[in-house]
Amino acid sequence: MPRIRKPTTTTAQRKPGKRAGLDLQQIVDAARLIEVDALSMQSLADSLSVDRKALNYHVKDKPTLLGLMAMDAFSARFSGTDIAAADSWEDACRIYGMGFFEGVRSVGGLAEYLWFGGSVAAWALEPSEALFQRLKDAGFADEAAVRLVAMLISMSLSHARDAAQAVAEGDRPRTRALKAALRDAQPVAYTNLSRIAELGVDTYGTTQMEVVLDMLIAGARTRLEKT
């Protein structure tokens, strides 16, 4: 997946907003060197030794900038290189889903700024093209393939954000909330939940993602066999 980059222009060709000769990749690279808490449009302009208006030509505000940083980090981890070479469509789905999960998780606290729509849709062209080809070759109808890939994305994104929350809070939020609720309830009325709360199953890591993918793929395989 190519990194974010706009075509360069000569000095004579630059419009007023391009006087500094910046492109998006330069801006993102510079922003990555500044702590998120200290990052602002002005601090970034200062680090690049440009007027803030030069940044506004490319990036309108800090949330947009954080979104670009997250997308850049994500696209560096999520690639379609191995999908076409997978041994089966099931493995292709696993590679896609796990790559998506790891890509989102790699951006850490910036995950909330990832937005997979609009002009940044190019993040997934290569891996998605490869996956849809594998699904077509396996016999999936286009609508079924679209629904399967949408579920892969939704579940991978949701789980990655869950994992980021667990890291940020230093524990397992669902287990903590369940134990807190049981402390204020009658334990004998919730024997199953009390047992589950003490198991200590980690539902935030890679193992959980693997289980999610296995279950989703098993369901997709069953539907494919029926049709």
Side-chain angles (χ1 to χ4, degrees):
M1 175 71 188
R3 302 183 73 190
I4 303 168
R5 192 172 296 280
K6 283 189 173 183
T8 56
T9 59
T10 64
T11 302
Q13 292 172 323
R14 286 179 191 146
K15 297 177 181 179
K18 295 187 177 181
R19 286 194 300 271
L22 295 175
D23 63 25
L24 278 177
Q25 192 61 56
Q26 288 174 301
I27 293 172
V28 169
D29 289 344
R32 201 181 289 118
L33 300 177
I34 303 173
E35 292 292 333
V36 173
D37 291 341
L39 180 63
S40 68
M41 297 297 286
Q42 188 59 59
S43 66
L44 179 57
D46 292 342
S47 72
L48 289 166
S49 300
V50 300
D51 189 276
R52 179 171 170 172
K53 293 180 180 179
L55 293 180
N56 291 143
Y57 181 86
H58 300 279
V59 184
K60 65 178 182 178
D61 52 28
K62 181 177 177 178
T64 302
L65 174 61
L66 292 173
L68 288 170
M69 292 170 63
M71 187 60 64
D72 184 61
F74 172 86
S75 63
R77 294 288 300 271
F78 187 57
S79 169
T81 305
D82 298 327
I83 293 176
D87 291 334
S88 64
W89 68 264
E90 292 96 334
D91 285 346
C93 286
R94 289 189 182 92
I95 293 169
Y96 187 95
M98 193 59 72
F100 197 107
F101 166 67
E102 294 293 353
V104 175
R105 194 165 66 162
S106 72
V107 308
L110 294 176
E112 63 182 289
Y113 295 97
L114 281 173
W115 171 246
F116 302 102
S119 61
V120 296
W123 64 270
L125 287 180
E126 180 188 347
S128 294
E129 173 67 18
L131 181 58
F132 275 110
Q133 184 62 53
R134 295 305 303 269
L135 295 176
K136 178 182 178 183
D137 293 343
F140 282 90
D142 284 345
E143 181 179 345
V146 169
R147 295 189 185 281
L148 173 55
V149 174
M151 290 177 67
L152 274 173
I153 292 174
S154 296
M155 297 171 77
S156 301
L157 178 58
S158 176
H159 185 55
R161 285 177 170 163
D162 270 2
Q165 180 187 6
V167 170
E169 297 186 16
D171 67 358
R172 301 166 187 173
R174 284 189 290 271
T175 300
R176 181 189 66 217
L178 176 57
K179 288 183 176 180
L182 289 172
R183 281 197 296 269
D184 299 327
Q186 295 293 331
V188 294
Y190 303 101
T191 55
N192 289 304
L193 289 176
S194 297
R195 184 182 72 256
I196 294 301
E198 296 305 320
L199 279 178
V201 177
D202 180 7
T203 59
Y204 292 91
T206 301
T207 299
Q208 179 69 15
M209 188 65 218
E210 291 171 347
V211 172
V212 167
L213 290 172
D214 283 346
M215 296 179 73
L216 177 61
I217 290 168
R221 186 186 302 115
T222 298
R223 288 182 63 97
L224 178 62
E225 290 170 353
K226 288 182 177 179
T227 56

